Amino acid sequence: MQALTVLPLIALAMQPGQAVAQTGGSPVKVDTKGLVAKIKFEAPLGGFLTEINGKYKLRVTELTLAPGGQVGEHNHVGPGIRQVTSGYMTYVLPNETIVYGPGDFFFETGDVNHTVFNKTDAPMVHVLFEILPVDHSGPSLIPVKHH
């Protein structure tokens, strides 16, 4: 469970244009184009995994990226699963590029620099299921961390 505190990930900006991350009170901006994010669900974790109860929360965010849209290089606050629900996402990692389509799931640890593009003429929608610190507010997008 300690690994949860070092595994970051995505829930981008609340409006298109620029995504704003909160890092110690100083906002950091990531260039975006055509991005809209809507938090659909958020609740503190509870249950049989008592060591994480009250320390983390589950957040579900729906992201829509317009045709030709992009999210600049970034990391995330916590880990999570992603699912593309419509359209196609070009997901650029340091050593590979993957295209995800409708129904595809993937996992992000959050600590791997990546960029996202919609290189098609239709909107791309994907859903983020994230684990975040319970007191985290705002987008889960954070600036690139070089290792």
PDB file of all heavy atoms in Angstrom, residues 1-22:
ATOM      1  N   MET A   1       0.805  -1.186   0.000  1.00  0.00           N
ATOM      2  CA  MET A   1       0.000   0.000   0.000  1.00  0.00           C
ATOM      3  C   MET A   1       0.851   1.254   0.000  1.00  0.00           C
ATOM      4  O   MET A   1       0.391   2.301  -0.421  1.00  0.00           O
ATOM      5  CB  MET A   1      -0.916   0.017   1.222  1.00  0.00           C
ATOM      6  CG  MET A   1      -2.004  -1.025   1.151  1.00  0.00           C
ATOM      7  SD  MET A   1      -2.985  -0.759  -0.331  1.00  0.00           S
ATOM      8  CE  MET A   1      -3.261  -2.417  -0.807  1.00  0.00           C
ATOM      9  N   GLN A   2       2.100   1.167   0.509  1.00  0.00           N
ATOM     10  CA  GLN A   2       2.958   2.341   0.491  1.00  0.00           C
ATOM     11  C   GLN A   2       3.202   2.831  -0.925  1.00  0.00           C
ATOM     12  O   GLN A   2       3.387   4.014  -1.144  1.00  0.00           O
ATOM     13  CB  GLN A   2       4.296   2.013   1.126  1.00  0.00           C
ATOM     14  CG  GLN A   2       4.432   2.571   2.495  1.00  0.00           C
ATOM     15  CD  GLN A   2       5.809   2.298   3.045  1.00  0.00           C
ATOM     16  OE1 GLN A   2       6.499   1.399   2.592  1.00  0.00           O
ATOM     17  NE2 GLN A   2       6.198   3.075   4.022  1.00  0.00           N
ATOM     18  N   ALA A   3       3.167   1.921  -1.901  1.00  0.00           N
ATOM     19  CA  ALA A   3       3.401   2.305  -3.294  1.00  0.00           C
ATOM     20  C   ALA A   3       2.363   3.301  -3.779  1.00  0.00           C
ATOM     21  O   ALA A   3       2.637   4.088  -4.676  1.00  0.00           O
ATOM     22  CB  ALA A   3       3.389   1.065  -4.188  1.00  0.00           C
ATOM     23  N   LEU A   4       1.175   3.299  -3.183  1.00  0.00           N
ATOM     24  CA  LEU A   4       0.140   4.235  -3.618  1.00  0.00           C
ATOM     25  C   LEU A   4       0.566   5.684  -3.447  1.00  0.00           C
ATOM     26  O   LEU A   4       0.129   6.551  -4.189  1.00  0.00           O
ATOM     27  CB  LEU A   4      -1.152   4.001  -2.842  1.00  0.00           C
ATOM     28  CG  LEU A   4      -1.909   2.728  -3.171  1.00  0.00           C
ATOM     29  CD1 LEU A   4      -3.112   2.580  -2.257  1.00  0.00           C
ATOM     30  CD2 LEU A   4      -2.344   2.723  -4.618  1.00  0.00           C
ATOM     31  N   THR A   5       1.432   5.955  -2.478  1.00  0.00           N
ATOM     32  CA  THR A   5       1.834   7.340  -2.236  1.00  0.00           C
ATOM     33  C   THR A   5       2.854   7.838  -3.247  1.00  0.00           C
ATOM     34  O   THR A   5       3.070   9.037  -3.337  1.00  0.00           O
ATOM     35  CB  THR A   5       2.407   7.510  -0.813  1.00  0.00           C
ATOM     36  OG1 THR A   5       3.576   6.711  -0.694  1.00  0.00           O
ATOM     37  CG2 THR A   5       1.370   7.147   0.230  1.00  0.00           C
ATOM     38  N   VAL A   6       3.474   6.928  -4.021  1.00  0.00           N
ATOM     39  CA  VAL A   6       4.470   7.362  -4.998  1.00  0.00           C
ATOM     40  C   VAL A   6       4.041   7.118  -6.435  1.00  0.00           C
ATOM     41  O   VAL A   6       4.782   7.382  -7.354  1.00  0.00           O
ATOM     42  CB  VAL A   6       5.836   6.680  -4.743  1.00  0.00           C
ATOM     43  CG1 VAL A   6       6.422   7.124  -3.422  1.00  0.00           C
ATOM     44  CG2 VAL A   6       5.719   5.172  -4.816  1.00  0.00           C
ATOM     45  N   LEU A   7       2.846   6.619  -6.634  1.00  0.00           N
ATOM     46  CA  LEU A   7       2.357   6.359  -7.984  1.00  0.00           C
ATOM     47  C   LEU A   7       1.391   7.450  -8.429  1.00  0.00           C
ATOM     48  O   LEU A   7       0.225   7.427  -8.096  1.00  0.00           O
ATOM     49  CB  LEU A   7       1.636   4.992  -8.035  1.00  0.00           C
ATOM     50  CG  LEU A   7       2.467   3.775  -7.704  1.00  0.00           C
ATOM     51  CD1 LEU A   7       1.588   2.541  -7.679  1.00  0.00           C
ATOM     52  CD2 LEU A   7       3.593   3.612  -8.693  1.00  0.00           C
ATOM     53  N   PRO A   8       1.852   8.460  -9.181  1.00  0.00           N
ATOM     54  CA  PRO A   8       0.947   9.523  -9.631  1.00  0.00           C
ATOM     55  C   PRO A   8       0.176   9.234 -10.927  1.00  0.00           C
ATOM     56  O   PRO A   8       0.442   8.277 -11.585  1.00  0.00           O
ATOM     57  CB  PRO A   8       1.895  10.706  -9.825  1.00  0.00           C
ATOM     58  CG  PRO A   8       3.079  10.404  -9.011  1.00  0.00           C
ATOM     59  CD  PRO A   8       3.189   8.897  -9.010  1.00  0.00           C
ATOM     60  N   LEU A   9      -0.850  10.133 -11.383  1.00  0.00           N
ATOM     61  CA  LEU A   9      -1.551  10.059 -12.689  1.00  0.00           C
ATOM     62  C   LEU A   9      -2.417  11.221 -13.115  1.00  0.00           C
ATOM     63  O   LEU A   9      -2.151  12.311 -12.707  1.00  0.00           O
ATOM     64  CB  LEU A   9      -2.370   8.778 -12.809  1.00  0.00           C
ATOM     65  CG  LEU A   9      -3.600   8.568 -12.014  1.00  0.00           C
ATOM     66  CD1 LEU A   9      -4.809   8.405 -12.951  1.00  0.00           C
ATOM     67  CD2 LEU A   9      -3.404   7.313 -11.277  1.00  0.00           C
ATOM     68  N   ILE A  10      -3.587  11.099 -13.990  1.00  0.00           N
ATOM     69  CA  ILE A  10      -4.279  12.144 -14.762  1.00  0.00           C
ATOM     70  C   ILE A  10      -5.695  12.486 -14.334  1.00  0.00           C
ATOM     71  O   ILE A  10      -6.379  11.672 -13.958  1.00  0.00           O
ATOM     72  CB  ILE A  10      -4.331  11.784 -16.249  1.00  0.00           C
ATOM     73  CG1 ILE A  10      -4.811  12.866 -17.190  1.00  0.00           C
ATOM     74  CG2 ILE A  10      -5.324  10.736 -16.476  1.00  0.00           C
ATOM     75  CD1 ILE A  10      -4.572  12.529 -18.675  1.00  0.00           C
ATOM     76  N   ALA A  11      -6.115  13.621 -14.254  1.00  0.00           N
ATOM     77  CA  ALA A  11      -7.501  14.100 -14.294  1.00  0.00           C
ATOM     78  C   ALA A  11      -7.388  15.553 -14.626  1.00  0.00           C
ATOM     79  O   ALA A  11      -7.390  16.402 -13.780  1.00  0.00           O
ATOM     80  CB  ALA A  11      -8.205  13.921 -12.968  1.00  0.00           C
ATOM     81  N   LEU A  12      -7.330  15.860 -15.750  1.00  0.00           N
ATOM     82  CA  LEU A  12      -6.811  17.094 -16.294  1.00  0.00           C
ATOM     83  C   LEU A  12      -7.579  18.331 -15.889  1.00  0.00           C
ATOM     84  O   LEU A  12      -8.214  18.390 -14.857  1.00  0.00           O
ATOM     85  CB  LEU A  12      -6.735  16.950 -17.814  1.00  0.00           C
ATOM     86  CG  LEU A  12      -5.859  15.788 -18.207  1.00  0.00           C
ATOM     87  CD1 LEU A  12      -6.030  15.457 -19.680  1.00  0.00           C
ATOM     88  CD2 LEU A  12      -4.430  16.066 -17.922  1.00  0.00           C
ATOM     89  N   ALA A  13      -7.544  19.318 -16.713  1.00  0.00           N
ATOM     90  CA  ALA A  13      -8.103  20.630 -16.399  1.00  0.00           C
ATOM     91  C   ALA A  13      -9.610  20.626 -16.360  1.00  0.00           C
ATOM     92  O   ALA A  13     -10.253  19.804 -16.964  1.00  0.00           O
ATOM     93  CB  ALA A  13      -7.626  21.633 -17.438  1.00  0.00           C
ATOM     94  N   MET A  14     -10.145  21.597 -15.703  1.00  0.00           N
ATOM     95  CA  MET A  14     -11.580  21.713 -15.597  1.00  0.00           C
ATOM     96  C   MET A  14     -12.150  22.477 -16.795  1.00  0.00           C
ATOM     97  O   MET A  14     -13.341  22.540 -16.973  1.00  0.00           O
ATOM     98  CB  MET A  14     -11.959  22.433 -14.298  1.00  0.00           C
ATOM     99  CG  MET A  14     -11.371  21.745 -13.062  1.00  0.00           C
ATOM    100  SD  MET A  14     -11.397  19.952 -13.092  1.00  0.00           S
ATOM    101  CE  MET A  14     -13.077  19.672 -12.712  1.00  0.00           C
ATOM    102  N   GLN A  15     -11.307  23.088 -17.621  1.00  0.00           N
ATOM    103  CA  GLN A  15     -11.748  23.830 -18.796  1.00  0.00           C
ATOM    104  C   GLN A  15     -10.726  23.655 -19.903  1.00  0.00           C
ATOM    105  O   GLN A  15      -9.561  23.406 -19.641  1.00  0.00           O
ATOM    106  CB  GLN A  15     -11.848  25.319 -18.481  1.00  0.00           C
ATOM    107  CG  GLN A  15     -12.841  25.634 -17.407  1.00  0.00           C
ATOM    108  CD  GLN A  15     -12.886  27.129 -17.169  1.00  0.00           C
ATOM    109  OE1 GLN A  15     -12.772  27.904 -18.081  1.00  0.00           O
ATOM    110  NE2 GLN A  15     -13.036  27.509 -15.919  1.00  0.00           N
ATOM    111  N   PRO A  16     -11.145  23.836 -21.164  1.00  0.00           N
ATOM    112  CA  PRO A  16     -10.182  23.774 -22.248  1.00  0.00           C
ATOM    113  C   PRO A  16      -9.248  24.981 -22.202  1.00  0.00           C
ATOM    114  O   PRO A  16      -9.549  25.976 -21.578  1.00  0.00           O
ATOM    115  CB  PRO A  16     -11.051  23.808 -23.509  1.00  0.00           C
ATOM    116  CG  PRO A  16     -12.355  24.369 -23.074  1.00  0.00           C
ATOM    117  CD  PRO A  16     -12.501  24.078 -21.614  1.00  0.00           C
ATOM    118  N   GLY A  17      -8.112  24.883 -22.859  1.00  0.00           N
ATOM    119  CA  GLY A  17      -7.172  25.994 -22.948  1.00  0.00           C
ATOM    120  C   GLY A  17      -5.887  25.659 -22.246  1.00  0.00           C
ATOM    121  O   GLY A  17      -4.899  25.359 -22.868  1.00  0.00           O
ATOM    122  N   GLN A  18      -5.894  25.703 -20.920  1.00  0.00           N
ATOM    123  CA  GLN A  18      -4.728  25.308 -20.159  1.00  0.00           C
ATOM    124  C   GLN A  18      -5.191  24.525 -18.947  1.00  0.00           C
ATOM    125  O   GLN A  18      -6.188  24.870 -18.320  1.00  0.00           O
ATOM    126  CB  GLN A  18      -3.925  26.519 -19.695  1.00  0.00           C
ATOM    127  CG  GLN A  18      -3.182  27.189 -20.813  1.00  0.00           C
ATOM    128  CD  GLN A  18      -2.102  28.100 -20.258  1.00  0.00           C
ATOM    129  OE1 GLN A  18      -2.199  28.616 -19.167  1.00  0.00           O
ATOM    130  NE2 GLN A  18      -1.070  28.272 -21.040  1.00  0.00           N
ATOM    131  N   ALA A  19      -4.443  23.477 -18.633  1.00  0.00           N
ATOM    132  CA  ALA A  19      -4.721  22.710 -17.436  1.00  0.00           C
ATOM    133  C   ALA A  19      -3.877  23.306 -16.322  1.00  0.00           C
ATOM    134  O   ALA A  19      -2.723  23.614 -16.521  1.00  0.00           O
ATOM    135  CB  ALA A  19      -4.357  21.243 -17.651  1.00  0.00           C
ATOM    136  N   VAL A  20      -4.476  23.477 -15.165  1.00  0.00           N
ATOM    137  CA  VAL A  20      -3.761  24.073 -14.052  1.00  0.00           C
ATOM    138  C   VAL A  20      -3.633  23.041 -12.948  1.00  0.00           C
ATOM    139  O   VAL A  20      -4.613  22.473 -12.492  1.00  0.00           O
ATOM    140  CB  VAL A  20      -4.513  25.314 -13.518  1.00  0.00           C
ATOM    141  CG1 VAL A  20      -3.771  25.922 -12.345  1.00  0.00           C
ATOM    142  CG2 VAL A  20      -4.678  26.342 -14.627  1.00  0.00           C
ATOM    143  N   ALA A  21      -2.403  22.784 -12.524  1.00  0.00           N
ATOM    144  CA  ALA A  21      -2.149  21.852 -11.435  1.00  0.00           C
ATOM    145  C   ALA A  21      -1.842  22.646 -10.178  1.00  0.00           C
ATOM    146  O   ALA A  21      -1.330  23.758 -10.250  1.00  0.00           O
ATOM    147  CB  ALA A  21      -0.969  20.950 -11.779  1.00  0.00           C
ATOM    148  N   GLN A  22      -2.147  22.063  -9.032  1.00  0.00           N
ATOM    149  CA  GLN A  22      -1.824  22.719  -7.776  1.00  0.00           C
ATOM    150  C   GLN A  22      -0.660  21.991  -7.137  1.00  0.00           C
ATOM    151  O   GLN A  22      -0.763  20.825  -6.812  1.00  0.00           O
ATOM    152  CB  GLN A  22      -3.034  22.694  -6.849  1.00  0.00           C
ATOM    153  CG  GLN A  22      -4.198  23.472  -7.414  1.00  0.00           C
ATOM    154  CD  GLN A  22      -5.435  23.322  -6.584  1.00  0.00           C
ATOM    155  OE1 GLN A  22      -5.531  22.447  -5.737  1.00  0.00           O
ATOM    156  NE2 GLN A  22      -6.416  24.153  -6.829  1.00  0.00           N
TER     157      GLN A  22
END
